[in-house]
Amino acid sequence: MYLIKTPRVIQKLFPSFHWRVEATDNPVIYLTFDDGPIPQLTPWVLEQLAHFNAKATFFCVGNNVRRYPELLTQTLAAGHSVGNHTMHHLDGWKSDNVPYFHDVRHCALQVKSSLFRPPYGRLKPAQAQFLTRHYEVVMWDVLSGDFDPELTAEDCYQNVVRNASPGSIVVFHDSLKAEDKLRSILPRLLQYYADLGYRFEALTPELLAQKDGITANTPQLQTA
Ligand SMILES: [Zn+2]
């Protein structure tokens, strides 16, 4: 069970996480891609973004970067931003704190970034408390659901167009599990928002570093 649109009440309960870019009425959408980079899909994503002069944010699994370092280089050279998504895509709820932090640090050797997104959106309170001291922890307000085998590509497309608004942070995956759906929806979504006059920008620590605080609990949200 997961929520496509993160309710405002949950966003307010966890104010030290970044759910969307506030205080903007500018037509800007923040596309994010988790779990790559992989040679089968990430270069294609970069091509699609380039067609629209779109910038995005890639939350990379350290182990993939270790295997395909040139893809990280290519992503950064194209003007996108990157973030830490742990070395081995660990589930915080199922991980002890010390090994979890070790895995984040291991990823940090591959991915130099102060942006972090927890796999599955799951952090225990102590993990959240520690990580928000060291990182801008980036969640989302809209999930495409591209990771969900129960959803069609059309469902995922509709999830985005029905829920995204200026300042939204939208989640996709450059993973094999999401590949078919992403190949179907990404070009359509880029065209849809470009036609509406939106820009696509990368998240940066400077953009996000406007809040700090301590998180008391973890949200009941899930992504892949
Ligand atoms: Zn993930």
Side-chain angles (χ1 to χ4, degrees):
M1 158 61 191
Y2 60 91
L3 301 165
I4 292 295
K5 172 88 175 170
T6 308
R8 284 284 181 163
V9 63
I10 290 182
Q11 298 182 34
K12 286 189 194 323
L13 276 174
F14 305 100
S16 62
F17 297 157
H18 300 285
W19 298 97
R20 48 182 289 113
V21 176
E22 298 289 356
T24 180
D25 289 324
N26 294 330
V28 179
I29 295 236
Y30 299 89
L31 306 178
T32 65
F33 297 87
D34 293 2
D35 298 359
I38 55 168
Q40 298 91 334
L41 190 54
T42 308
W44 177 85
V45 171
L46 295 175
E47 273 171 38
Q48 304 311 306
L49 295 173
H51 286 162
F52 289 86
N53 194 26
K55 304 303 178 204
T57 307
F58 291 76
F59 289 93
C60 299
V61 171
N63 209 31
N64 286 340
V65 175
R66 187 184 57 73
R67 291 165 72 188
Y68 311 112
E70 69 286 358
L71 292 179
L72 185 78
T73 307
Q74 201 183 331
T75 301
L76 289 168
H80 305 294
S81 59
V82 299
N84 185 319
H85 199 48
T86 76
M87 190 68 188
H88 297 99
H89 206 263
L90 296 189
D91 181 338
W93 291 0
K94 296 179 182 166
S95 305
D96 289 333
N97 296 341
V98 169
Y100 190 84
F101 299 148
H102 185 77
D103 207 70
V104 172
R105 276 196 289 269
H106 195 177
C107 180
L109 298 176
Q110 305 286 338
V111 182
K112 311 276 185 246
S113 174
S114 57
L115 305 180
F116 175 79
R117 173 174 283 162
Y120 314 100
R122 292 175 176 171
L123 289 175
K124 291 177 184 167
Q127 294 165 352
Q129 195 172 344
F130 178 79
L131 287 164
T132 50
R133 265 190 245 132
H134 298 275
Y135 287 93
E136 302 299 332
V137 176
V138 181
M139 299 302 223
W140 58 84
D141 70 335
V142 180
L143 284 177
S144 64
D146 59 355
F147 58 89
D148 186 344
E150 310 264 304
L151 297 185
T152 65
E154 185 60 25
D155 294 333
C156 298
Y157 177 82
Q158 293 297 335
N159 283 342
V160 177
V161 299
R162 285 185 185 150
N163 293 298
S165 58
S168 278
I169 299 175
V170 185
V171 181
F172 302 93
H173 294 83
D174 48 337
S175 70
L176 293 179
K177 202 161 55 166
E179 178 175 4
D180 288 351
K181 276 174 270 199
L182 192 65
R183 284 184 186 272
S184 162
I185 65 175
L186 184 59
R188 287 176 67 200
L189 286 168
L190 287 163
Q191 188 67 59
Y192 175 84
Y193 284 105
D195 288 347
L196 289 176
Y198 275 77
R199 298 192 312 279
F200 308 95
E201 294 184 0
L203 294 166
T204 61
E206 297 73 31
L207 182 70
L208 294 169
Q210 48 195 330
K211 298 190 281 186
D212 48 16
I214 288 170
T215 304
N217 210 327
T218 50
Q220 303 287 314
L221 293 173
Q222 185 180 344
T223 180

